[in-house]
Amino acid sequence: MAKKGRFSEFGDAIRNFWNSPGIPNFIEILEKGLDKELFFDPEKAGERIPLEDLPVDFRLRQSGFLRKFYERVFPVSHLFRITHRYEREFLDGFMPLAAENYIGRGSYKFVYALPWNQVVKIGKSKLPSDPIFGSLYKEVQKNLGKYLKPEEIRLMEFLQQGIWRESLRDEIRFKFARLGLERLHYWKLKSLIPDLVLPTRFFMGLRFRKSPFGIPVITLTPCDNQNLLPGKHLKEFIRLNEKIRQNPIQDALFPKWKLNFDTHRFGVVSKAKLKKIALDFHRVIEVTRHLANEEKLIFDIHSENIIITIPDFELKIFDYHVFDEHLYEPSKENPSPEVDHINLIKEFVRSFELG
């Protein structure tokens, strides 16, 4: 009860903060300190983090045959940030891309490593019917000026000016609203567990692909970038050595295993570090409960959203999406959908055997 009360008070404080006169706008708050946290000097960036030290999820990294064929015919070349300056579109922040620097894909983004130990995540094309575009997207659509910078609003309007087809103008607005939505998802978590959520800058990007005909293929798409951390996905620490008993058919066709944390797989994790990781997991559980109870939102957390850094063994969350509660089908065991996520975390923490 005390923990729930603390989060309720925190939520009230945020609401009072938003309603106070003369406060900085959403973007100023969100991007405060990012210039320092995400600063890089390509000339002094040091050695790149070896690929073997990065989180690996081969299921996410692999693409199907058609996608691989497309990438071969139209290979990625580079990416710019695009904004509006000098009364026209303005490109800056050149980011070289290459197939060999592709390090993963999720449901909504392709991820590439940059030469200066950062990653850039490039948004995939999505239809408005996707479940990510729920109540929070409607909030952003109604208040674009709150979630987009003034120069981003000007860019959107500039790009729409020369287009006569209403559907194409709507598509441009949709992409900019999605950029604002990504920022809002990030804020939902960053405001509650700031030290666990990786600093992230969201921007509108212009991606270039090479074409066999010499004409570049250019795509306007929301992007974000983060510092690249050496570490491993949660699932890479899992040791499957204890089978969960089910009926004979399920045991044969759909075996289940207990999630046991392997404390020696990537170096010895001390008991003090395990206690800190366990505490941070309990904080994630409290945030998940808070979002579900107070805002009817489900923090869609999975093992591929979390890494444990190496050699420090610290918990970090680097992907942030929340969905409307009604989009989830509750199970018979867990009538409230966030319980499935919470139980998975609890089971994992129990394997630490901390008592």
Side-chain angles (χ1 to χ4, degrees), residues 47-275:
E47 295 183 5
R48 302 242 334 238
I49 297 171
L51 193 63
E52 59 269 19
D53 290 342
L54 299 180
V56 175
D57 188 325
F58 289 108
R59 181 181 61 82
L60 291 175
R61 182 175 293 187
Q62 294 301 313
S63 294
F65 169 77
L66 291 177
R67 185 76 203 181
K68 288 178 179 176
F69 179 75
Y70 179 78
E71 294 286 347
R72 183 179 291 273
V73 177
F74 299 97
V76 291
S77 171
H78 56 281
L79 175 79
F80 281 105
R81 287 192 296 262
I82 178 171
T83 185
H84 186 274
R85 295 180 193 169
Y86 312 111
E87 300 180 356
R88 60 166 296 163
E89 73 274 29
F90 184 86
L91 302 181
D92 68 355
F94 172 77
M95 298 175 221
L97 303 177
E100 59 267 24
N101 293 330
Y102 168 74
I103 61 171
R105 65 181 177 88
S107 301
Y108 296 100
K109 298 171 186 176
F110 293 103
V111 185
Y112 291 86
L114 295 172
W116 45 84
N117 280 334
Q118 286 188 350
V119 296
V120 61
K121 301 179 182 179
I122 301 173
K124 293 180 181 179
S125 295
K126 287 292 171 183
L127 295 174
S129 57
D130 192 278
I132 196 175
F133 304 111
S135 61
L136 294 184
Y137 178 75
K138 292 175 184 175
E139 154 68 19
V140 173
Q141 272 277 42
K142 289 187 295 183
N143 300 282
L144 275 185
K146 183 177 178 181
Y147 300 99
L148 298 178
K149 301 175 186 178
E151 59 265 30
E152 291 168 342
I153 295 284
R154 291 197 299 270
L155 175 64
M156 180 185 72
E157 294 170 346
F158 178 83
L159 295 175
Q160 289 175 319
Q161 281 175 7
I163 296 174
W164 62 271
R165 281 177 57 189
E166 187 174 350
S167 61
L168 292 179
R169 290 199 300 270
D170 289 344
E171 184 180 342
I172 290 173
R173 182 181 174 87
F174 172 72
K175 290 184 177 183
F176 278 88
R178 180 179 170 187
L179 173 61
L181 177 68
E182 296 281 359
R183 284 186 175 131
L184 181 53
H185 282 198
Y186 172 68
W187 169 256
K188 289 288 183 186
L189 295 175
K190 187 69 172 175
S191 62
L192 294 169
I193 41 175
D195 57 313
L196 301 187
V197 173
L198 284 189
T200 306
R201 169 166 284 145
F202 298 89
F203 61 93
M204 186 56 71
L206 206 62
R207 180 189 60 199
F208 290 76
R209 290 184 176 276
K210 297 176 182 177
S211 118
F213 315 107
I215 303 172
V217 179
I218 304 172
T219 305
L220 182 78
T221 182
C223 301
D224 58 272
N225 75 300
Q226 299 169 331
N227 288 328
L228 190 62
L229 295 181
K232 295 297 177 182
H233 284 299
L234 218 53
K235 65 174 61 177
E236 296 179 79
F237 281 90
I238 291 173
R239 182 177 68 248
L240 300 177
N241 63 353
E242 190 175 348
K243 206 170 186 179
I244 298 174
R245 293 295 298 272
Q246 306 176 96
N247 63 53
I249 296 176
Q250 287 177 316
D251 280 341
L253 300 178
F254 309 104
K256 285 187 178 181
W257 303 81
K258 281 191 176 180
L259 304 181
N260 292 304
F261 188 85
D262 190 338
T263 58
H264 289 68
R265 187 165 186 182
F266 301 106
V268 179
V269 187
S270 69
K271 196 161 188 176
K273 288 289 186 182
L274 278 179
K275 286 180 179 178

Side-chain angles (χ1 to χ4, degrees), residues 136 185 189 287-289 291-293 295-302 321-328 336-341:
L136 294 184
H185 282 198
L189 295 175
V287 167
T288 304
R289 283 188 177 134
L291 290 172
N293 295 335
E295 303 193 46
K296 305 304 177 188
L297 296 171
I298 303 302
F299 173 29
D300 193 48
I301 189 165
H302 300 284
H321 285 123
V322 288
F323 293 84
D324 289 328
E325 184 182 63
H326 66 267
L327 294 173
Y328 283 78
S336 188
E338 82 279 359
V339 175
D340 286 322
H341 296 280

Side-chain angles (χ1 to χ4, degrees), residues 295-347:
E295 303 193 46
K296 305 304 177 188
L297 296 171
I298 303 302
F299 173 29
D300 193 48
I301 189 165
H302 300 284
S303 58
E304 60 264 22
N305 304 131
I306 297 176
I307 65 169
I308 295 177
T309 62
I310 294 174
D312 299 323
F313 297 109
E314 294 182 345
L315 188 70
K316 296 293 178 184
I317 300 170
F318 62 93
D319 202 1
Y320 334 97
H321 285 123
V322 288
F323 293 84
D324 289 328
E325 184 182 63
H326 66 267
L327 294 173
Y328 283 78
E329 287 292 334
S331 62
K332 186 181 295 185
E333 299 84 5
N334 298 320
S336 188
E338 82 279 359
V339 175
D340 286 322
H341 296 280
I342 289 171
N343 285 345
L344 188 68
I345 295 173
K346 283 184 173 179
E347 180 190 346

